């Protein structure tokens, strides 16, 4: 099933021509409207008006997450704010936040791309689509909402809280497609069991899952427990949100929406293309974005291109699911978390370097983040109430900065060195 068959199945030659024209337009937009890129291109001695081949893209400078931070909030927007109709953002305190804008046209393209993802996973205008992503500044909820509406499906914007209610609505409203993170789908299956609801009482057929890493074992488990197909899709806010790539029902890799994104896979050390089929970092150039175009954005996500063509008929290149990260970002309860955010908050509160250890577990299909903090001599108080207050202050601050629940454990000095963390600041006990 296709949403835009003529595009999704277009001959590669035509696709490459389209990509080149769109790259030229993007470079022109950035070169003329974004001082940061004008300077960057000039420094790299690139005449952006003289790019005549896709191969020339290899010489363009990279864009890093740090560039987004430095230009916070609107420095990389290529249109005036009056032309921006939506703003999304990643979590984090102001120094770590990224802000992404969309013009009306960007939203239209985004909706079409998400409609493609849904269609590829089997969803049609006949379906009742329940979206259990967070509806907020995170791109998952609204991104899928607009895409599902564009498709013409009946959309239930349930969001991520109150799972019992989600299940009741799923049963009573005869939901046929579930859209959320894979771990949330398993959590739903757990709560269904507690409620005595069997999947045969539901009308569910399709599951469209993404925003975090998952495994074939999880896919099988979701499929069996909810009685649905389970398809993967990938995206990131800096590039757009969901809609970058998604699996069709063949489930043999994620088709990249190459008419809107030029994707390279590079060796993380040399930053040169990896050998065919090798794993490397996804580096993405947007080809149609108006408000927030980026060139060669280093996603830090690791994946590989898959060889051959897909029986579904789409000509877009396929990539594997995400196999890891080339930095230390973790996705906890669907939220991106960097150890540096935690460290910065601790230093801020304690006024000194404080030993800590981050522990991530998955209990009953739910991520749990614990931060162990050593009470050094400087922080020690013989008044238990004062000590508790310190724990509460750290906890409140981390919840605010990260946007997820955090368990803070204060431990005695030198406790952390007795824990075998192999010298790392993070122990992630989850299996993917
Ligand atoms: O997670 C956008 C999204 C929403 C994608 C809904 C798919 C579905 P961010 O919050 O910016 O955006 O997080 C982006 O999440 O760089 C990956 O590390 C990770 N990620 C996204 N999709 C997948 C996936 C959204 N299918 C970051 N598998 C990315 C593994 C994923 N990791």
């Amino acid at each position: 099933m296709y949403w835009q068959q003529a595009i999704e199945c277009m001959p590669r030659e035509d696709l490459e021509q389209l990509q080149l024209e769109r790259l030229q337009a993007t470079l022109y937009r950035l070169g003329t409207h974004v001082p940061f890129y004008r300077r960057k291109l000039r420094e790299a001695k690139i005449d952006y008006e003289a790019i005549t081949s896709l191969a020339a893209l290899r010489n363009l400078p990279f864009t890093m997450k740090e560039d987004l931070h430095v230009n916070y909030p609107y420095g990389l927007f290529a249109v005036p704010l009056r032309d921006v109709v939506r703003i999304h953002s990643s979590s984090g305190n102001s120094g770590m936040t990224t802000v992404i804008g969309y013009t009306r046209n960007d939203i239209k393209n985004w909706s079409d791309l998400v409609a493609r993802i849904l269609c590829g996973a089997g969803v049609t205008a006949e379906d009742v689509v329940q979206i259990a992503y967070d509806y907020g500044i995170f791109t998952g909820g609204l991104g899928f909402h607009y895409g599902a509406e564009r498709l013409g499906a009946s959309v239930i914007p349930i969001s991520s809280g109150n799972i019992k209610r989600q299940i009741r609505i799923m049963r009573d409203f005869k939901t046929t497609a579930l859209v959320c993170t894979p771990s949330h789908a398993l959590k739903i299956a757990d709560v269904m069991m507690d409620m005595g609801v069997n999947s045969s009482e539901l009308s569910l057929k399709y599951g469209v899952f993404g925003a975090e890493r998952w495994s074939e074992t999880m896919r099988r488990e979701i499929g069996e427990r909810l009685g649905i197909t389970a398809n993967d899709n990938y995206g990131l806010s800096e590039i757009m949100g969901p809609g970058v790539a998604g699996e069709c029902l063949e489930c043999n890799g994620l088709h990249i929406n190459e008419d809107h994104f030029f994707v390279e896979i590079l060796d993380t050390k040399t930053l040169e293309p990896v050998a065919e089929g090798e794993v490397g970092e996804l580096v993405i150039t947007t080809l149609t974005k108006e408000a927030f175009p980026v060139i060669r954005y280093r996603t830090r996500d690791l994946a590989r291109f898959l060889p051959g063509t897909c029986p579904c008929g789409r000509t877009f290149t396929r990539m594997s699911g995400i196999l890891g990260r080339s930095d230390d970002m973790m996705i906890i309860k669907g939220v991106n978390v960097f150890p540096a955010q935690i460290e910065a908050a601790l230093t801020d509160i304690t006024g000194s370097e404080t030993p800590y250890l981050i522990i991530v577990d998955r209990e009953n299909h739910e991520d749990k983040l614990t931060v162990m903090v050593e009470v050094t001599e400087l922080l020690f108080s013989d008044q238990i109430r004062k000590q508790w207050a310190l724990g509460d202050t750290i906890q409140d601050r981390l919840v605010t900065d990260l946007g997820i629940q955090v368990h803070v454990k204060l431990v005695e000095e030198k406790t952390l060195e007795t824990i075998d963390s192999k010298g790392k600041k993070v122990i992630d006990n989850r299996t993917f």
Side-chain angles (χ1 to χ4, degrees), residues 146-308:
Y146 273 59
E149 277 195 358
R150 176 103 182 110
L151 185 64
S154 313
V155 188
I156 307 175
I158 192 80
S159 200
S160 57
N162 197 341
I163 298 190
K164 282 190 179 155
R165 182 156 162 260
Q166 291 185 30
I167 293 167
R168 263 197 310 275
I169 286 187
M170 198 150 39
R171 184 185 54 200
D172 297 350
F173 295 11
K174 304 198 182 335
T175 301
T176 54
L178 175 65
V179 177
C180 58
T181 59
S183 56
H184 189 78
L186 284 174
K187 184 77 203 161
I188 288 180
D190 285 351
V191 178
M192 272 169 53
M193 214 156 70
D194 294 346
M195 290 168 71
V197 175
N198 192 284
S199 67
S200 59
E201 296 169 53
L202 305 178
S203 311
L204 275 186
K205 287 192 280 194
Y206 309 109
V208 187
F209 305 119
E212 66 180 13
R213 269 178 79 193
W214 54 313
S215 59
E216 285 305 316
T217 318
M218 279 173 85
R219 193 206 294 269
R220 258 195 311 278
E221 195 182 341
I222 295 173
E224 281 163 17
R225 295 182 66 191
L226 294 178
I228 53 175
T229 53
N231 282 63
D232 191 9
N233 73 92
Y234 166 78
L236 62 166
S237 12
E238 292 87 339
I239 295 298
M240 170 164 274
V244 175
E247 279 179 331
C248 63
L249 286 170
E250 301 289 335
C251 288
N252 61 0
L254 285 72
H255 291 275
I256 300 167
N257 279 320
E258 288 180 283
D259 53 331
H260 291 266
F261 310 107
F262 189 93
V263 177
E264 302 167 82
I265 296 190
L266 305 184
D267 183 295
T268 50
K269 290 205 179 69
T270 62
L271 295 177
E272 291 296 324
V274 292
E276 216 178 301
E278 294 285 307
V279 175
E281 182 180 320
L282 291 169
V283 173
I284 308 183
T285 300
T286 65
L287 298 175
T288 54
K289 289 273 293 290
E290 292 178 345
F292 195 83
V294 283
I295 46 174
R296 305 194 87 196
Y297 182 69
R298 289 193 59 187
T299 65
R300 302 290 184 169
D301 288 318
L302 301 177
R304 60 190 180 89
F305 286 134
L306 299 180

Side-chain angles (χ1 to χ4, degrees), residues 133 138-139 211-213 232-233 235 237 301 322 325 331 336:
Y133 278 120
F138 171 61
T139 52
E212 66 180 13
R213 269 178 79 193
D232 191 9
N233 73 92
S237 12
D301 288 318
I322 300 301
R325 295 273 307 172
I331 300 186
N336 303 347

Side-chain angles (χ1 to χ4, degrees), residues 67-192:
D67 296 325
L68 274 57
H69 295 160
V70 170
N71 288 283
Y72 175 86
Y74 298 138
L76 294 183
F77 281 24
V79 296
L81 267 188
R82 92 178 78 88
D83 294 337
V84 170
V85 298
R86 175 96 64 81
I87 294 171
H88 279 284
S89 172
S90 70
S91 61
N93 40 11
S94 58
M96 306 279 289
T97 311
T98 52
V99 184
I100 297 95
Y102 303 78
T103 62
R104 199 171 295 286
N105 203 33
D106 289 334
I107 296 281
K108 186 182 161 295
N109 283 333
W110 189 14
S111 309
D112 275 324
L113 293 182
V114 172
R116 279 188 202 172
I117 303 286
L118 288 164
C119 246
V123 183
T124 68
E126 305 294 319
D127 282 293
V128 178
V129 179
Q130 188 155 330
I131 299 173
Y133 278 120
D134 191 22
Y135 270 69
I137 210 145
F138 171 61
T139 52
L142 282 172
F144 265 102
H145 186 99
Y146 273 59
E149 277 195 358
R150 176 103 182 110
L151 185 64
S154 313
V155 188
I156 307 175
I158 192 80
S159 200
S160 57
N162 197 341
I163 298 190
K164 282 190 179 155
R165 182 156 162 260
Q166 291 185 30
I167 293 167
R168 263 197 310 275
I169 286 187
M170 198 150 39
R171 184 185 54 200
D172 297 350
F173 295 11
K174 304 198 182 335
T175 301
T176 54
L178 175 65
V179 177
C180 58
T181 59
S183 56
H184 189 78
L186 284 174
K187 184 77 203 161
I188 288 180
D190 285 351
V191 178
M192 272 169 53

